[in-house]
């Protein structure tokens, strides 16, 4: 007889455990612990409770009933096993699959495999068994997989469920681009698009569903699945988070998930990036204001828009051309009847300091010949096509390497002309099903809609991202999935309402009929705040909305103000009316243009501040726009209408028609009004004035905000005369400072540093901003003088006089509550107020 092969001690232990689990009289397994830095996973004796902790503080518990399998009599290939349709909230009441039964674990035995891993053998009602493998992956991060091993004859596992216990009062963030609230407590969140016939769009607007849930105690749960799933966040019980995935025929592969533990909830997203990849950062110029029309008449109109931007002194870095501009959708050309010389048009834009992008989709319209005929003959479309959600045709099968290469080669026809970005629309046809039935698709690589409702987005975005310049480009995407942040540089929320309404609010449409809206300005703010911790830190809504455009003057102004304090400011709506076109419908006037000028330039000037946070993403992963309750969970307040922009700016946009003031919940520490210097005490709820031209914007005491010079026009290179370009000349750094009692510092992306410590401000130049900075100390009283490195500086009578000098200081009692301006020469220096 041949000797048995040698087996590891862990395998032998696993075999013994299986035998022990089958014996009801076996002794309970001893406790086990897996450690990942300051975080631990403790498996209690008998493996009946698993506890995630950090620094001795319990963050999340997986109790005896945490693991559940859903079994059916037999798997049916025509079923999607989408668990959403089993919920009462689903649009249709469906009978569950034949024999569906939820089976909780009745026995558990833990076997430590090694110091970094433990296996828990689970037995379920009815004789089903499964393995749970828990392992330390890195500090603060654990991997887990729940895998069914056996089901008796006459039943099959179709669903896997996790039931975690969180804090009964804590808030929950993440899960993607939901538009109704920043706090996910009490919500049912499908991880795929679903039918929502009550909304004007007809779907649940889940364009970017991300299975990452963050608790404000500092934990995260990420389900690493491309199957259909749903998160039930503390609806039935205040501490219960229930996650269900329809694994169907793939149940034997198990359900992979990750548990994260961090010192602060803002730090959980970095742990998610460690698993799924870090986000693409747009080109620097992409963070300047963008402008677009829904329809550009022709090349002459585009060039006239470019001229108007500069004639009216409207800070702008880029423009995109939406459809229709090509001969057909998508012929990778410019219609010569509209655009006689596109190369000259792009050159004109570049000369004026504007980069250029185009709208695109993954379809070939019926008149997109000869490309359509070529693609059909070569088999570049999916072999089985389900329900189409667009008006042009089948999406290209990007799982086919030849089709991928075909599409990418044609994209390069645009990038070779100087196009540096794309607005990628649609591509959401591959939905997994409807009312529990499959929406069958089949692709060249053998995949189908059960995973490609996730995977198609990644391929669609990657095929374009690979064509962009190495120095950076711009992809504005309507939809995305987890992991897609590696290609998607910016998300926009799709076609939102040109209204002040919230998601799901009923209003009267232009035809006089009631509309249950997808949401206007308030909803778009919420979407951006949800996307940040969900892994998409760059976001820009259509300024003014899209559906029911044009927005009226008040809405347009309020929207401008809010997007100026967004990571991306893109301005346009479906009316195709830029700010300088005054109509009775849009109600705009010269005041609108003047306000527009202020806020586009503010957004542009904030570039050094924002770009620093963009570069920090690779180190700390923290979102740039941060919901107040996520940034300051100790406040136990979770408003959806105010947020932090970085560490030092608090933004409270006006989101109600007719409002000229609003209440603001303030974090600890004093906060200073950006415009008039009013000082508000921290830890309080205050009322802030907000006349139409004013965005409530507050600077933290001790806050340091680096800015570009006030006359900057664009972040992009420019060759035309009279245009001030950051790319051509960064110029002197301007820094707004609200001095505080405690020392603070701001480390810029270029290696420069600005620090304040009571009466002193020190500056160290970096590689980009080499000229001496202009310091702007706000909410000050007039000093007796200002010293530089111990020597008195000369006082200038006005700011203009100071700007013309090599160094010095000036005082303006009327500016921002009293402003001391200090011009510092190049090099490292310390300024002291006397």
């Amino acid at each position: 007889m041949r000797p048995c092969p040698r087996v590891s001690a862990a395998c032998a232990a696993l075999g013994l455990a299986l035998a022990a689990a089958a014996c009801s009289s076996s002794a309970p397994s001893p406790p086990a612990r897996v450690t990942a830095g300051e975080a631990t996973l403790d498996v209690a004796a008998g493996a009946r409770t698993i506890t995630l902790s950090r620094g001795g503080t319990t963050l999340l518990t997986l109790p005896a009933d945490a693991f559940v399998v859903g079994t059916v009599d037999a798997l049916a290939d025509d079923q999607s096993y989408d668990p959403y349709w089993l919920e009462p909230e689903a649009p249709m009441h469906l009978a569950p699959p034949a024999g569906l039964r939820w089976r909780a674990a009745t026995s558990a035995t833990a076997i430590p495999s090694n110091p970094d891993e433990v296996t828990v053998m689970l037995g379920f009602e009815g004789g089903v068994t499964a393995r749970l493998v828990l392992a330390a992956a890195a500090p603060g991060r654990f991997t887990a997989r729940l895998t069914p091993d056996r089901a008796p004859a006459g039943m099959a596992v179709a669903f896997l469920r996790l039931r975690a216990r969180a804090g009964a009062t804590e808030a929950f963030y993440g899960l993607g681009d939901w538009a109704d609230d920043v706090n996910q407590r009490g919500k049912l969140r499908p991880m795929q698009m679903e039918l929502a016939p009550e909304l004007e769009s007809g779907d649940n607007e889940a364009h970017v569903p991300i299975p990452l849930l963050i608790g404000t105690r500092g934990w995260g749960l990420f389900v690493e699945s491309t199957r259909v799933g749903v998160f039930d966040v503390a609806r039935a019980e205040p501490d219960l988070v229930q996650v269900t995935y329809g694994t169907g025929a793939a149940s034997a592969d198990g359900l992979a998930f990750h548990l994260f533990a961090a010192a602060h909830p803002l730090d959980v997203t970095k742990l998610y990036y460690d698993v799924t990849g870090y986000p693409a950062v747009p080109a620097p110029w992409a963070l300047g204001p963008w402008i677009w029309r829904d329809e550009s008449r022709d090349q002459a109109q585009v060039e006239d828009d470019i001229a108007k931007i500069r004639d009216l002194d409207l800070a702008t870095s880029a423009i995109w051309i939406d459809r229709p501009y090509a001969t057909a959708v998508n012929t990778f050309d410019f219609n010569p009847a509209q655009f006689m010389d596109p190369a000259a048009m792009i050159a004109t834009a570049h000369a004026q300091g504007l980069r250029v992008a185009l709208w695109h989709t993954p379809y070939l319209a019926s008149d997109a010949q000869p490309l359509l005929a070529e693609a059909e003959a070569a088999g570049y479309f999916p072999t089985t096509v389900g329900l189409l959600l667009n008006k042009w045709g089948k999406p290209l099968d990007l799982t086919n390497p030849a089709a991928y290469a075909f599409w990418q080669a044609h994209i390069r026809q645009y990038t070779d002309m100087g196009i540096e970005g794309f607005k990628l629309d649609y591509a959401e046809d591959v939905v997994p099903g409807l009312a529990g039935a499959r929406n069958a698709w089949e692709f060249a690589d053998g995949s189908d809609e059960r995973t490609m409702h996730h995977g198609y987005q990644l391929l669609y975005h990657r095929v374009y991202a690979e064509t962009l310049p190495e120095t950076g480009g711009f992809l504005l995407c309507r939809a995305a999935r987890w992991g897609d942040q590696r290609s998607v540089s910016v998300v926009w929320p799709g076609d939102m309402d040109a209204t002040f309404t919230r998601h799901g609010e009923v209003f009267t449409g232009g035809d006089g009929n009631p509309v249950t809206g997808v949401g206007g300005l308030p909803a778009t703010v919420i979407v951006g705040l949800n996307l940040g911790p969900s892994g998409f830190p760059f976001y820009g809504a259509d300024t003014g909305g899209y559906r029911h455009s044009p927005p009226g003057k008040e809405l347009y102004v309020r929207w401008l103000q809010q997007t100026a304090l967004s990571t991306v400011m893109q301005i346009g709506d479906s009316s195709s009316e830029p700010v300088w076109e005054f109509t009775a419908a849009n109600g705009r006037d010269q005041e609108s243009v003047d306000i527009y000028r202020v806020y586009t330039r503010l957004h542009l000037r904030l570039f050094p501040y924002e770009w620093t946070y963009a570069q920090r993403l690779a180190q700390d992963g923290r979102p740039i726009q941060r919901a107040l309750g996520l940034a300051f969970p100790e406040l136990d307040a979770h408003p959806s209408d105010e947020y932090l922009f970085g560490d030092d700016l608090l933004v409270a946009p006006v989101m109600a028609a007719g409002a000229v003031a609003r209440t603001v919940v303030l974090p600890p520490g004093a906060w200073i009004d950006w415009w008039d210097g009013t000082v508000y005490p921290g830890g309080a709820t205050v009322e802030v004035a907000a006349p139409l031209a004013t965005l409530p914007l507050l600077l933290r005491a001790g806050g340091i905000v680096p800015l570009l010079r006030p006359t900057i026009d664009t972040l992009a290179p420019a060759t035309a005369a009279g245009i001030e370009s950051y790319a051509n000349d960064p110029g002197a750094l301007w820094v707004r400072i609200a001095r505080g009692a405690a020392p603070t510092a701001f480390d810029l992306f270029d290696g420069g540093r600005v620090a304040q410590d009571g009466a002193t401000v020190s500056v160290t130049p970096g590689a980009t901003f080499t000229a001496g900075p202009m310091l702007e100390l706000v909410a000050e009283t007039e000093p007796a003088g200002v010293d530089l490195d111990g020597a008195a500086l000369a006082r200038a009578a006005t700011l203009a006089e100071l700007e013309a000098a090599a160094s010095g200081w000036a005082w303006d009692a009327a500016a921002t509550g009293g402003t001391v301006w200090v011009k510092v020469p190049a090099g490292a220096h310390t300024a002291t107020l006397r």
Side-chain angles (χ1 to χ4, degrees):
M1 174 186 265
R2 255 177 135 181
C4 293
R6 186 177 179 183
V7 295
S8 69
C11 289
L14 185 59
L16 291 172
L18 285 168
C23 178
S24 60
S25 62
S26 60
S29 56
R33 167 173 284 191
V34 179
T35 301
E38 296 184 27
T40 59
L41 272 180
D42 287 291
V43 182
R48 303 301 289 164
T49 303
I50 299 168
T51 304
L52 173 67
S53 303
R54 186 182 185 281
T57 300
T58 297
L59 303 179
L60 196 68
T61 303
L62 300 170
D65 63 349
F67 306 102
V68 179
V69 296
T71 63
V72 295
D73 292 342
L75 294 172
D77 192 56
D78 63 348
Q79 295 296 301
S80 70
Y81 295 105
D82 181 350
Y84 172 72
W85 292 93
L86 303 177
E87 298 287 345
E89 288 85 349
M92 304 177 192
H93 179 69
L94 298 176
L100 175 62
R101 182 171 175 182
W102 299 103
R103 302 176 185 273
T106 56
S107 65
T109 304
I111 309 98
S113 305
N114 59 61
D116 296 322
E117 183 176 293
V118 63
T119 297
V120 180
M121 305 306 302
L122 298 168
F124 296 85
E125 300 165 353
V128 179
T129 63
R131 285 169 290 130
L132 173 67
V133 179
L134 304 165
R141 183 158 58 86
F142 300 90
T143 62
R145 184 179 289 272
L146 175 65
T147 307
D149 284 320
R150 181 177 68 86
M155 71 173 71
V157 176
F159 301 93
L160 295 173
R161 174 175 285 175
L162 309 175
R163 290 166 54 87
R165 296 287 173 171
T169 60
E170 75 177 311
F172 305 98
Y173 285 81
L175 295 183
D177 65 335
W178 302 99
D180 55 351
D181 205 336
V182 295
N183 185 358
Q184 308 305 317
R185 174 173 285 278
K187 309 297 185 184
L188 182 71
R189 300 304 198 196
M191 291 295 102
Q192 54 281 329
M193 285 185 66
E194 302 283 6
L195 180 68
E198 74 280 6
L199 289 181
E200 59 183 322
S201 62
D203 64 70
N204 65 349
E205 293 288 302
H207 302 293
V208 191
I210 305 297
L212 168 64
L213 185 67
I214 298 171
T216 51
R217 293 199 293 188
W219 59 267
L221 168 62
F222 166 53
V223 180
E224 190 179 358
S225 176
T226 60
R227 295 271 164 170
V228 287
V230 65
F231 279 65
D232 182 332
V233 188
R235 293 191 312 149
E237 301 175 48
D239 65 342
L240 176 62
V241 173
Q242 180 169 282
V243 183
T244 307
Y245 269 74
T247 47
S251 295
D253 297 333
L255 185 67
F257 61 100
H258 301 258
L259 296 171
F260 304 139
H264 193 283
L266 284 172
D267 298 322
V268 170
T269 306
K270 181 186 185 300
L271 301 173
Y272 165 79
Y273 289 147
D274 288 338
V275 175
T276 62
Y278 280 75
V281 176
W285 49 260
L287 299 186
W290 285 73
I291 193 169
W292 58 283
R293 291 180 187 258
D294 195 44
E295 293 186 8
S296 292
R297 184 184 65 244
D298 53 25
Q299 181 171 336
Q301 186 180 56
V302 172
E303 292 178 344
D304 183 64
D305 288 346
I306 293 169
K308 280 282 199 310
I309 288 168
R310 296 304 175 216
D311 290 345
L312 294 172
D313 189 27
L314 306 178
T316 313
S317 290
I319 186 170
W320 81 66
I321 303 171
D322 221 292
R323 66 178 179 91
Y325 60 85
T327 305
V329 177
N330 289 299
T331 46
F332 298 94
D333 61 3
F334 284 89
N335 185 349
Q338 293 175 272
F339 297 89
M340 295 158 291
D341 191 350
M345 176 184 66
I346 295 169
T348 296
H350 286 175
Q352 296 292 326
L354 302 177
R355 311 318 279 177
V356 184
L358 297 174
W359 175 92
H360 230 251
T361 62
Y363 314 108
L364 287 169
S366 58
D367 54 348
Q369 300 294 351
L371 290 179
L372 177 59
E374 179 184 351
E376 288 178 329
Y380 289 164
F381 294 103
T383 54
T384 300
V385 175
L387 177 69
L388 293 178
L389 301 179
N390 76 90
K391 54 190 173 184
W392 298 294
K394 300 172 288 188
L396 209 72
D397 186 350
L398 296 173
T399 73
N400 180 340
Y404 190 99
F406 162 83
W407 201 252
Q408 193 168 80
H410 285 291
I411 296 169
R412 292 189 189 279
Q413 293 177 204
Y414 282 136
T415 58
D416 288 347
M417 294 176 64
I419 298 301
E420 296 177 76
F422 294 92
K423 176 184 180 180
L424 297 182
D425 210 346
Y426 287 85
E428 296 179 270
D429 305 87
V430 188
V431 295
L434 178 65
R438 286 182 60 193
N439 174 36
W441 290 75
E442 187 173 342
F443 295 85
D445 68 346
S447 61
D448 58 38
E449 81 289 344
R450 287 174 281 205
T451 58
M452 284 300 287
H453 73 100
H454 173 280
Y456 193 85
Q457 296 297 330
L458 275 67
L459 290 168
Y460 173 38
H461 300 145
R462 193 178 76 200
V463 73
Y464 287 84
E466 291 172 346
T467 71
L468 299 179
E470 291 185 6
T471 54
F474 174 84
L475 285 188
L476 180 71
C477 301
R478 171 175 171 159
R481 299 294 186 270
W482 65 260
D484 211 2
Q485 70 273 4
R486 292 168 294 185
S487 297
V488 173
S489 49
V490 186
V491 172
W492 104 97
D495 300 342
M496 306 300 283
D497 296 317
T499 63
F500 279 109
T501 58
R502 296 180 59 86
H503 177 79
E505 185 176 339
V506 178
F507 63 93
T508 302
D511 59 2
N513 293 317
V515 175
T516 303
V518 295
L521 173 57
T524 65
V525 174
I526 293 169
V527 170
L529 297 181
N530 282 333
L531 281 170
S534 301
F536 292 89
F538 298 100
Y539 167 81
D542 296 339
T543 299
Y546 190 87
R547 300 175 191 267
H548 315 288
S549 290
K553 175 184 174 180
E554 181 188 17
L555 176 62
Y556 189 67
V557 165
R558 293 306 192 188
W559 214 311
L560 278 168
Q561 293 168 349
Q562 190 276 317
T563 56
L565 268 294
S566 294
T567 47
V568 172
M569 186 181 197
Q570 56 99 353
I571 306 165
D573 58 63
S574 66
S575 70
S576 298
E577 296 169 357
V579 66
W580 56 80
E581 292 187 358
F582 306 159
T583 69
N586 68 39
R588 295 171 204 159
D589 53 20
Q590 186 57 47
E591 183 187 31
S592 308
V593 176
D594 294 340
I595 295 172
Y596 181 108
R597 183 180 299 110
V598 168
Y599 285 96
T600 52
R601 184 150 278 120
L602 174 61
H603 179 82
L604 187 60
R605 292 193 67 203
L606 282 166
F607 171 77
Y609 180 77
E610 181 182 350
W611 190 245
T612 296
Y613 285 102
Q615 299 306 302
R616 289 181 190 172
L617 286 167
Q619 284 75 51
D620 64 21
R622 289 189 164 197
I624 300 170
Q625 290 176 237
R626 307 163 182 177
L628 180 72
L630 185 65
F632 292 94
E634 65 274 18
L635 293 175
D636 195 27
H638 302 279
S640 292
D641 60 352
E642 62 178 280
Y643 58 93
L644 278 294
F645 191 75
D647 291 325
D648 293 336
L649 294 176
L650 180 64
V651 188
V654 174
M655 295 195 287
V660 293
R662 62 154 295 170
T663 57
V664 181
V665 179
L666 294 179
W671 292 83
I672 294 90
D673 188 285
W674 181 268
W675 310 104
D676 66 16
T678 300
V679 179
Y680 296 97
T685 298
V686 301
E687 184 169 278
V688 177
L692 180 62
T694 301
L695 165 72
L697 176 62
L698 303 173
L699 172 61
R700 181 175 63 90
I704 299 170
V705 179
L707 299 160
L708 298 180
R709 58 194 182 274
T711 52
I712 195 75
D713 295 311
T714 180
L715 298 175
T719 57
I723 297 173
E724 295 203 33
S725 161
Y726 165 81
N728 291 4
D729 177 12
L733 188 72
W734 290 54
V735 188
R736 180 169 288 200
I737 302 168
R739 292 189 299 147
T744 57
F746 193 98
D747 294 305
L748 276 90
F749 66 89
D750 71 341
R753 181 180 175 90
V754 181
Q756 68 83 32
D757 185 1
T760 66
V761 177
S762 61
V763 296
T764 304
T768 300
F769 296 101
T770 57
M774 177 73 81
L775 307 180
E776 178 185 350
L777 286 69
V778 300
E780 295 280 356
T781 56
E782 183 176 1
V786 178
D787 297 333
L788 186 70
D789 304 326
L793 280 174
R795 178 171 182 169
T798 64
L799 176 58
E801 181 181 312
L802 179 61
E803 287 186 80
S807 63
W809 71 281
W811 162 253
D812 187 341
T816 322
T819 298
V820 179
W821 305 90
V822 182
K823 187 171 184 182
V824 178
H829 298 282
T830 298
T832 305
L833 272 63
R834 288 189 263 121

